[in-house]
Amino acid sequence: MDDSPFATLPDELLEAIVFYLPPAATLAFSSTCKRSNKITYEPLVWRRHCMQEWRYWEPRHELKDKLRLPPVQTKWRLLFNERRRIDKEALDLFDALLLEQKGRVDRMEKVAAMAYDVKDLMLRQRDETRDDAEDVLARRYHANAVLGQIHRATALDKWGRLQRRQMVRLEEVLGAYDLFVLSAGKGDLNDIDGELDRLAECIRARDADFDDLSIRRKAVQIAKYLRAENLVGNQSEEDYHALRNNFISIALFEEPHTSLPLQSVAIYCAVARRLGVNAKPSNYPHHVHAVIEAPPDTDLDGHARGPTHPPMDARPQDATDIMHMDPWRSTAEVPLDQLTTRLSQMGAPVAQHAYHLSATTNLEVALRTGRNIMNSVQEARDRQRGTTRRQGYPDVESAWYAMLWSMLVLGDATQPSTLHRRRQVLPYLIEHYQAHFPEDLGLIETIVAPMFESEREHHVLMHLITTARQGDANARAPSYRPKKEELRKWMIPGEPGVSFKIGAHFRHKRYGYEGVIVGWDTKCGAEPRWIEQMRVDELPRGREQPFYNVVSVFYYVLTSPSEPGASGGPQADNAGGHRADDKSIRYVAEENITEVHEKPTEGLMSLAGRYFKRWDEAEGRFVSNMRDEYPDD
């Protein structure tokens, strides 16, 4: 730099210029001479680079504490270098897992283990990969899958802490459900935290004297603000049980901000706590209220308690100690006599009134939310039956998966009823993991298996885990297309052999649902019981024709299961109809497939990345990412 015009500039001006350089330019400038190298070590420069490059950070970095300290007390350049190293290591693993199926789950687990330190990188892979990239679908799909792994692991960590009676805030307990369904946009625990902080500050800024108000008046003011902003409640009785109403991030960030009473009360309580109001959800049946307790030194109206006044737990509580709010319905305090009258009308014994009117635990709130989600998912599936309408955000299968995990993880492990519930939930969880979330093998291994260590289910779980690990570690056995001379040995005369290739886009001839071929057998390879149940031998070409593994998008068909080959696979509901669920793999006879060459719907395109690199417009089919398993396709 000695011969450059920059050499004449004072250090202060060079530091100001360097402050606005991107990281690559900063590093290049630092390599020009000793003076520039010294200038670029300015901590403020690298703190800005860290903040601009990465939004998400693992808790171990203690980023909030570092930002409160003077810049010189943190080695920001070393921290920047560490995050760059993590990004490179993760990207190398991610690129490798896209190339072959062997070791894919293992590599996904290694990337996901870096947790929030790789979230920014995975978001870029998912959201910024160009449409014309050679592996665009695979890259987007697997980046989203890794993000899901990170989010679910975080959720299960929160519930695990709650189960161990460690401190977990109410918004974290409920926000864990949101992590299972989190898609694009806001909804992470940090986003929820930030929005609740913002709402609390807005309430405080709206009323300059807010901090001087009594607890009772604060409680009412908080409800007034949240209802005025439409952040609590639900004006549509028809959509009361809508799946979206179970998730607080959707209530906070997505129009029309509707929620169930439990979620509305959770939002209210979280904001109230930030404003010095001790508010908790109640045990009230069917409709949750907020229970607000007075602080030890004053009553709800701000009157000081004398030194001889007995503490609340040593005397009956009255209207100066505790109040109830229903922010889902109103901004007014709910009279105690009104609540007790309703309890009596519901048949609740008088001896249980105190329990129902008191605050509940975060554990019970979590379990209650799980039960609500179960009801909402079942209602959503009932509404969709007989239509081709796909469930939007939140995803039904992800919400159901969250409910299953919560029912398995949470509860008093010493109670026989908890073990009974876990045994009931386990087969459904395993089925859902295998069908939709195979990348969660590590969670099954580290969380589920230990729960049943001394139970009869443990051996089955360990066999499942060992088989899955071996399957991931070994190369897939290749399936070659039979040659013409081989066809003559076993094919029916006049049959064309395996007509369709991996990646073929098709519609089912009978039911019309859309799908893509992800595997094939030269003839039906299902078990005899399934062949008999599906009446495969009654099909015109019977069991000797090729059968295909296909992935289909959401579609319900109301036809009689008595028709031969009606299901095309094991998926069937118990209402007389059959369904092809979003993400499901089905087994379909060749005679029921009609290949189509137009571009698939967005629903199928989003799923196809699990098996394919991209959609080939010229060929009218997907480009296989399973050449190791089907080398001829």
Side-chain angles (χ1 to χ4, degrees):
M1 192 174 71
D2 293 341
D3 298 330
S4 167
F6 283 99
T8 62
L9 298 178
D11 286 355
E12 293 78 9
L13 188 54
L14 286 175
E15 288 174 2
I17 294 172
V18 167
F19 190 77
Y20 293 99
L21 293 177
T26 303
L27 291 170
F29 181 73
S30 70
S31 64
T32 57
C33 67
K34 290 182 179 180
R35 183 188 176 202
S36 61
N37 185 267
K38 180 180 178 181
I39 289 171
T40 56
Y41 259 95
E42 171 59 42
L44 271 174
V45 171
W46 292 101
R47 185 176 75 171
R48 182 179 68 88
H49 288 333
C50 285
M51 294 300 96
Q52 288 185 345
E53 285 284 303
W54 299 285
R55 177 185 174 190
Y56 297 99
W57 295 74
E58 267 292 280
R60 66 182 177 83
H61 295 295
E62 300 177 335
L63 186 67
K64 288 185 178 180
D65 293 337
K66 286 181 169 65
L67 290 173
R68 284 192 286 264
L69 295 172
V72 294
Q73 293 187 22
T74 300
K75 297 178 179 179
W76 288 102
R77 183 166 181 172
L78 293 180
L79 191 56
F80 180 91
N81 291 339
E82 180 187 355
R83 289 299 306 268
R84 273 290 174 89
R85 178 190 58 77
I86 292 172
D87 275 1
K88 183 182 183 308
E89 181 181 344
L91 187 58
D92 288 344
L93 284 167
F94 186 71
D95 287 340
L97 72 86
L98 297 178
L99 296 177
E100 60 176 346
Q101 296 183 86
K102 179 182 177 182
R104 182 170 289 170
V105 171
D106 179 64
R107 291 187 178 102
M108 290 179 73
E109 287 178 342
K110 288 177 179 176
V111 176
M114 301 177 197
Y116 276 73
D117 276 350
V118 296
K119 181 167 180 176
D120 292 282
L121 174 66
M122 291 297 104
L123 285 171
R124 288 194 294 269
Q125 297 299 309
R126 187 191 70 182
D127 300 335
E128 299 177 17
T129 298
R130 293 168 54 94
D131 291 340
D132 59 357
E134 174 64 22
D135 57 358
V136 55
L137 296 181
R139 192 166 290 273
R140 289 173 178 172
Y141 176 90
H142 287 96
N144 196 57
V146 171
L147 287 168
Q149 287 179 273
I150 294 169
H151 295 149
R152 291 189 292 273
T154 302
L156 291 170
D157 175 67
K158 296 296 181 184
W159 287 341
R161 287 162 53 86
L162 180 67
Q163 178 71 6
R164 296 189 295 272
R165 302 295 191 268
Q166 296 175 351
M167 174 61 189
V168 187
R169 292 174 297 156
L170 176 62
E171 55 268 32
E172 293 177 318
V173 171
L174 295 187
Y177 283 101
D178 297 59
L179 289 177
F180 276 80
V181 302
L182 184 59
S183 182
K186 295 181 178 180
D188 209 330
L189 295 183
N190 288 337
D191 299 326
I192 294 171
D193 227 26
E195 181 64 7
L196 294 171
D197 289 344
R198 187 190 70 82
L199 293 174
E201 288 306 312
C202 287
I203 293 170
R204 183 175 270 119
R206 193 180 189 186
D207 187 347
D209 299 323
F210 181 86
D211 290 330
D212 298 326
L213 299 178
S214 67
I215 296 297
R216 193 183 303 276
R217 290 185 62 190
K218 285 180 179 179
V220 172
Q221 289 297 99
I222 294 167
K224 285 182 177 179
Y225 179 85
L226 293 177
R227 286 190 60 81
E229 296 295 316
N230 294 318
L231 292 171
V232 292
N234 183 3
Q235 297 182 2
S236 174
E237 289 291 331
E238 181 181 350
D239 289 334
Y240 179 88
H241 288 294
L243 184 56
R244 58 168 288 132
N245 294 340
N246 292 276
F247 300 96
I248 60 173
S249 68
I250 299 179
L252 288 171
F253 299 116
E254 303 282 338
E255 294 286 351
H257 302 294
T258 57
S259 60
L260 290 175
L262 190 154
Q263 279 65 36
S264 287
V265 167
I267 291 171
Y268 174 89
C269 292
V271 172
R273 189 183 69 246
R274 287 162 167 78
L275 293 168
V277 177
N278 183 16
K280 299 176 182 177
S282 72
N283 279 307
Y284 206 78
H286 307 306
H287 189 94
V288 178
H289 297 77
V291 181
I292 294 94
E293 295 181 353
D297 53 343
T298 65
D299 63 20
L300 289 172
D301 297 305
H303 301 133
R305 300 189 189 276
T308 60
H309 194 80
M312 282 191 290
D313 57 358
R315 58 181 171 78
Q317 293 182 346
D318 57 32
T320 66
D321 299 319
I322 192 170
M323 64 182 287
H324 295 81
M325 296 289 296
D326 183 7
W328 192 81
R329 285 196 178 111
S330 169
T331 61
E333 178 181 353
V334 183
L336 183 61
D337 59 350
Q338 180 179 318
L339 293 172
T340 55
T341 299
R342 287 180 188 167
L343 286 173
S344 298
Q345 291 171 345
M346 286 187 281
V350 175
Q352 294 182 8
H353 284 197
Y355 168 78
H356 291 308
L357 293 169
S358 64
T360 190
T361 64
N362 286 352
L363 178 60
E364 181 53 40
V365 169
L367 289 170
R368 193 166 179 170
T369 299
R371 294 191 292 268
N372 287 342
I373 289 175
M374 178 172 61
N375 293 332
S376 293
V377 168
Q378 290 171 340
E379 183 172 305
R381 286 173 172 167
D382 288 341
R383 287 185 178 186
Q384 291 167 347
R385 187 172 289 114
T387 74
T388 58
R389 179 171 62 87
R390 295 181 68 243
Q391 170 73 26
Y393 179 64
D395 176 64
V396 169
E397 304 306 333
S398 298
W400 187 255
Y401 195 47
M403 180 277 296
L404 293 173
W405 270 108
S406 69
M407 293 296 181
L408 189 83
V409 171
L410 300 174
D412 187 349
T414 64
Q415 295 294 322
S417 59
T418 300
L419 177 60
H420 177 69
R421 186 184 70 235
R422 286 174 172 172
R423 281 180 165 157
Q424 286 183 314
V425 168
L426 181 61
Y428 296 99
L429 178 74
I430 295 301
E431 180 184 22
H432 227 64
Y433 142 72
Q434 291 177 321
H436 304 298
F437 304 97
E439 62 273 15
D440 281 355
L441 176 59
L443 297 179
I444 302 297
E445 189 173 22
T446 58
I447 297 177
V448 180
M451 285 184 180
F452 295 90
E453 190 166 359
S454 59
E455 306 298 334
R456 60 180 181 267
E457 292 84 0
H458 188 257
H459 175 74
V460 177
L461 284 168
M462 294 310 299
H463 176 72
L464 180 148
I465 291 165
T466 302
T467 302
R469 287 288 179 205
Q470 290 174 347
D472 183 59
N474 298 330
R476 304 295 176 91
S479 296
Y480 296 99
R481 284 183 169 270
K483 298 176 182 179
K484 288 184 178 181
E485 54 270 21
E486 293 173 335
L487 284 174
R488 286 194 290 268
K489 295 178 183 178
W490 52 266
M491 286 296 296
I492 298 173
E495 293 291 351
V498 181
S499 300
F500 304 112
K501 290 186 175 183
I502 298 296
H505 177 214
F506 74 92
R507 288 202 175 274
H508 196 284
K509 286 183 180 179
R510 178 173 295 171
Y511 303 134
Y513 63 76
E514 176 190 28
V516 58
I517 293 172
V518 298
W520 49 256
D521 293 321
T522 53
K523 58 183 178 180
C524 185
E527 296 179 353
R529 183 179 176 184
W530 184 88
I531 292 175
E532 180 181 359
Q533 181 185 357
M534 293 299 140
R535 300 169 65 184
V536 171
D537 289 332
E538 296 181 27
L539 292 168
R541 293 172 59 187
R543 68 172 73 185
E544 296 301 322
Q545 64 181 306
F547 270 69
Y548 297 86
N549 296 110
V550 305
V551 172
S552 58
V553 297
F554 190 90
Y555 190 90
Y556 276 98
V557 283
L558 297 182
T559 56
S560 170
S562 62
E563 298 178 46
S567 166
Q571 303 291 334
D573 67 15
N574 53 13
H578 297 273
R579 76 184 190 201
D581 286 296
D582 203 6
K583 308 178 186 177
S584 70
I585 296 181
R586 301 170 67 79
Y587 201 45
V588 181
E590 184 171 276
E591 66 184 64
N592 285 327
I593 289 177
T594 299
E595 187 171 7
V596 291
H597 296 285
E598 67 263 21
K599 189 174 182 179
T601 61
E602 282 300 315
L604 189 57
M605 291 287 280
S606 65
L607 300 177
R610 181 172 172 179
Y611 310 94
F612 307 106
K613 294 181 179 181
R614 59 184 173 83
W615 171 257
D616 190 323
E617 195 70 43
E619 294 290 332
R621 66 186 181 95
F622 290 99
V623 177
S624 175
N625 202 21
M626 301 184 292
R627 290 288 173 83
D628 49 343
E629 190 173 0
Y630 295 94
D632 296 332
D633 287 16

